[in-house]
Amino acid sequence: MNYRHIYHAGNFADVIKHCVMIMVLSHLQQKDGGLGILDAFAGLGRYDLTADAPQKTGEYKSGIERVMLAKFTNSDLAAYQKAVRPFWKRGRYPGSPLILAYKLRLQDRMVVNELHNDDARTLRNFMNPYPHVQVTQEDAYQAMRAFLPQKNMREFVVIDPPFERKDEFEVLQIEVEKALKKSSTATLFIWYPVKAGSGADVMIENCTKAAQNKGLSRVHVCEFLQFPRDQIDTFNGCGLLTLNAPFTLFDRVENFRTELCAALGYGEITQRWLINS
Ligand SMILES: C[S@@+](CC[C@H](N)C(=O)[O-])C[C@H]1O[C@@H](n2cnc3c(N)ncnc32)[C@H](O)[C@@H]1O
């Protein structure tokens, strides 16, 4: 486990992931019933952007720094900015566990899971103030199998692997299929990198087939590209695949994509329904 998210915290990939994650969550929270959330690859929970690692890469400067300097008219972008601002003021960036924890309602519960020893310890400290959050330290896919299905709760699972393993895309699609067998109503939110020949397209196709087999009515994908999708040997962008996506997701992404790319000063966001019935 060599991947350390602190080098990348607040970069464009975090920005797009967390914006869309908040959109999905806010839709799921429109219903009063409790929500069970699993953040399967949780990371540290909070990142000090003044530390050596993010200063060395400077990735946050072309991501969250530009977003925080922008004035948005779009309400989803404004909501994201609002979630980040208290951290940003102190030179910090919130990871997915803290962004989600801030938005929990009394009836919601969350499990945040991180395998790395040091990161899991840090995460535990950051999550201490949140009584509705349980921190676990196991393999993410094991955590997913244990989490699904939730009794009397709708489920939202955030799957954000580091893609260190060569077979991550294959494992991911197998585990998504297993997850849908355990709960065909869970909303699964998957982050993936866009690189030429990476296996992302096969993963998307197989997850869509699994979703079709289980009768899901909505699967959505959106991608942020900083370089052409098939450019060789570069990190061209990232994608978000949402199974059991909210019906509002397409319009919400449509409404924010131009404004977000203008704030970043580069890139484009594309999206489509893979299933919409
Ligand atoms: C991309 S980072 C997570 C970032 C976080 N989701 C966020 O948005 O703030 C991926 C994390 O998964 C952890 N990880 C790697 N392999 C894992 C595994 N098999 N199970 C659980 N966590 C794992 C890494 O230590 C890393 O902290």
Side-chain angles (χ1 to χ4, degrees), residues 8 18 24 35 38 40 64 91 96-97 120 127 138 162 172 182 196 273:
H8 313 292
H18 294 152
V24 174
L35 199 59
L38 169 66
I64 192 61
S96 50
M127 301 320 283
E138 55 188 337
L172 182 53
K182 296 195 97 182
W273 286 115

Side-chain angles (χ1 to χ4, degrees), residues 1 3-5 14 17-18 21 39-45 47 93-97 113-116 119 138-141 158 160-162 164-165 168 191:
M1 289 180 68
Y3 179 88
R4 319 298 355 259
H5 194 64
D14 262 6
K17 170 179 64 189
H18 294 152
M21 183 185 78
D39 190 348
F41 294 85
L44 281 182
Y47 300 90
Y93 184 74
S96 50
N113 179 71
E114 168 59 46
L115 190 58
H116 192 283
D119 291 4
E138 55 188 337
D139 174 67
Y141 297 120
V158 177
D160 183 18
E164 275 185 313
R165 305 171 55 152
E168 191 76 66
W191 182 93

